[in-house]
Amino acid sequence: MAVSQTRNPMIDHYVGVIRDKSTGKGDFANAIENIVYLMSQDITGNIGTERKKVMTPVAEADVAYFFDKVLVVPILRAGMAMFEPLRRLLPMATFGYMGIRRTHCEGEFQADMYYRSLPDDLAEHKVILTEVIVATGSTIDYTIDHLLKDGVAQENITLACIIASKMGVDMLIEKYPKINILACAIDEKLNEKGYIVPGLGDAGDRYNGC
């Protein structure tokens, strides 16, 4: 599995904006969308293309078009913050949704699904999962496990997140060695509530205002 930390001065700036607790809802959402645009080259890096002849106003040109079926799956709720830039960049993509709830039970964080809307031909797609924060990794673990049971190959799964914990990334690396993980920042610690430290708090609450 490739774990890539996507960095440049603009990404670093906007990550700083979303970490700042004084950032309001509108600026928080705008910063996340800008980060996704800046990550887009890496997010789409494993999508296959095919050559095609087109006519420009001047002459024939040999161009590349996306060939693979692409499925973008925001993990509800916070993953929706990354939705709009990918909808604009990948208008030919299919968009599915998975709602995963994380609970704390007997000292462990567990996940369960409360909503799922995915295409019948799921296994034929390159799948891009979006989640702003990957903390314990339990939500993503649960999501990937369901995709694999539906026939999606590990190497066809890309996880695009903005901030991840080292613990969550290490767990996913060990369990799913062929998926691709993209993150802008990897933080070292989790607190007793399972929040990344320093992190940015609850991304879903900050994006939605509640």
Side-chain angles (χ1 to χ4, degrees):
M1 172 173 65
V3 181
S4 302
Q5 192 166 349
T6 304
R7 296 281 303 276
N8 66 45
M10 292 183 71
I11 286 178
D12 289 347
H13 166 80
Y14 285 115
V15 169
V17 171
I18 63 175
R19 285 193 190 272
D20 189 342
K21 70 177 183 180
S22 69
T23 298
K25 182 168 74 73
D27 288 338
F28 184 85
N30 183 66
I32 287 179
E33 290 194 3
N34 287 336
I35 289 170
V36 176
Y37 282 121
L38 293 166
M39 294 176 70
S40 61
Q41 182 174 345
D42 292 333
I43 291 173
T44 60
N46 74 333
I47 300 175
T49 59
E50 63 178 351
R51 307 307 300 185
K52 182 178 179 180
K53 300 289 186 181
V54 300
M55 288 300 299
T56 78
V58 178
E60 186 177 77
D62 182 50
V63 300
Y65 279 91
F66 284 133
F67 173 73
D68 289 324
K69 289 184 176 181
V70 180
L71 173 66
V72 180
V73 183
I75 307 301
L76 304 176
R77 291 187 304 162
M80 285 298 297
M82 302 171 71
F83 170 87
E84 188 60 28
L86 293 176
R87 187 186 66 81
R88 291 177 179 273
L89 290 167
L90 299 169
M92 77 300 182
T94 299
F95 285 84
Y97 304 91
M98 296 178 75
I100 313 295
R101 181 185 297 108
R102 191 182 71 162
T103 58
H104 192 206
C105 180
E106 297 181 355
E108 294 185 356
F109 290 96
Q110 300 176 349
D112 66 275
M113 187 183 305
Y114 64 87
Y115 183 76
R116 169 188 163 118
S117 178
L118 298 172
D120 293 335
D121 59 347
L122 176 61
E124 299 177 14
H125 290 75
K126 295 286 183 71
V127 180
I128 299 169
L129 301 175
T130 66
E131 178 66 291
V132 176
I133 291 286
V134 175
T136 66
S138 60
T139 298
I140 300 300
D141 178 19
Y142 187 89
T143 302
I144 292 173
D145 183 60
H146 274 262
L147 293 175
L148 296 181
K149 287 177 180 176
D150 283 327
V152 180
Q154 282 193 35
E155 56 267 29
N156 287 340
I157 299 173
T158 295
L159 167 61
C161 62
I162 297 177
I163 298 177
S165 75
K166 185 176 184 302
M167 170 187 160
V169 167
D170 286 348
M171 182 273 289
L172 293 171
I173 288 172
E174 181 177 355
K175 196 163 183 182
Y176 307 106
K178 295 181 180 179
I179 71 167
N180 185 43
I181 296 178
L182 303 171
C184 299
I186 298 177
D187 291 355
E188 287 294 322
K189 298 188 297 183
L190 297 175
N191 65 18
E192 67 280 357
K193 294 182 178 180
Y195 286 109
I196 298 177
V197 178
L200 55 75
D202 189 303
D205 286 355
R206 295 189 64 188
Y207 177 73
N208 292 288
C210 64

